[in-house]
Amino acid sequence: MDVVLVVAEDEAVCSSIQNALPETELILTAASLEEALQRLVAFQADALFVEETPSLNLCAIQQLRMASGAAPVILIPSTWELDSYAQYAEAGVAACLPRWPTVEQLQSCLSHCLQTQAAGRPAVPVAQRTKHEPEAAGDAATLEAAVQQLERRMILQALEEASYVQTQAAKRLGVTRRILKYKMDQLGITEPA
């Protein structure tokens, strides 16, 4: 990886990402949308990490995504609300990390995003209408399917990272264990045998 742009108001976020990517040739930092857009004009970034804040909101993330070309945008959201992830995916976010990711989480997420990009697949799967869904259902059915796919993927990732300890996985997702269990049952997710 040659160039990474970290867009964050919190300097600690920038430092943690810099420390996690010691082999990256150039890590640029920006504290505002304007500064980040200027950096993207001067440098072609291979990946962007964006800390969500009131000033770096969904609209700003969309602008960064458009300016970054094919580089994946990895978001560090301000809260872990499952409902927000459909909006992030729609804005072009390739992945989300917890507020203070471990080095392993950060490197794994970046590696996954770059592999997905190299394979020519969208990082966040686009829902396909099944033959059982009526044509008139259109956007509503597709949005619901996309949200379910995103929830399923996030829950599975959290479970794997927590070695299927539901309490720890729920904590990573910012929900209670009871809500996690409800979502697992709803999505047909079971623990491996």
Side-chain angles (χ1 to χ4, degrees):
M1 168 118 12
D2 296 330
V3 180
V4 169
L5 174 60
V6 181
V7 187
E9 292 178 358
D10 187 343
E11 288 184 28
V13 171
C14 295
S15 296
S16 68
I17 292 172
Q18 287 174 328
N19 293 336
L21 302 173
E23 296 182 16
T24 301
E25 288 183 29
L26 180 62
I27 298 180
L28 303 167
T29 60
S32 68
L33 173 63
E34 294 76 23
E35 189 179 351
L37 291 172
Q38 288 173 352
R39 299 249 191 227
L40 287 171
V41 168
F43 297 92
Q44 177 63 45
D46 296 311
L48 278 76
F49 289 89
V50 180
E51 172 196 25
E52 183 187 34
T53 63
S55 61
L56 292 169
N57 55 21
L58 199 59
C59 182
I61 292 165
Q62 288 173 322
Q63 289 179 345
L64 287 169
R65 178 68 190 107
M66 300 263 308
S68 68
V73 175
I74 300 168
L75 181 68
I76 301 170
S78 56
T79 60
W80 279 91
E81 296 176 9
L82 290 175
D83 296 339
S84 301
Y85 290 101
Q87 292 177 333
Y88 298 146
E90 197 172 291
V93 170
C96 294
L97 286 169
R99 181 81 179 137
W100 298 109
T102 64
V103 171
E104 294 80 20
Q105 286 174 320
L106 197 142
Q107 290 174 342
S108 172
C109 179
L110 182 58
S111 175
H112 170 74
C113 288
L114 293 173
Q115 287 173 357
T116 302
Q117 177 190 20
R121 298 184 316 256
V124 179
V126 178
Q128 299 294 321
R129 187 178 297 132
T130 67
K131 63 181 180 180
H132 302 293
E133 293 173 352
E135 286 289 323
D139 296 339
T142 303
L143 177 60
E144 185 176 325
V147 170
Q148 285 181 346
Q149 282 183 325
L150 189 57
E151 285 180 341
R152 180 179 186 77
R153 197 173 83 231
M154 289 184 62
I155 289 170
L156 286 170
Q157 180 181 353
L159 285 166
E160 288 172 10
E161 290 172 357
S163 301
Y164 281 84
V165 177
Q166 291 180 8
T167 305
Q168 290 177 7
K171 192 173 188 177
R172 288 176 184 263
L173 292 167
V175 299
T176 64
R177 186 194 159 281
R178 187 174 177 183
I179 290 174
L180 175 62
K181 181 67 176 141
Y182 171 79
K183 287 288 188 181
M184 287 173 64
D185 291 342
Q186 187 181 38
L187 297 169
I189 298 172
T190 58
E191 293 186 35

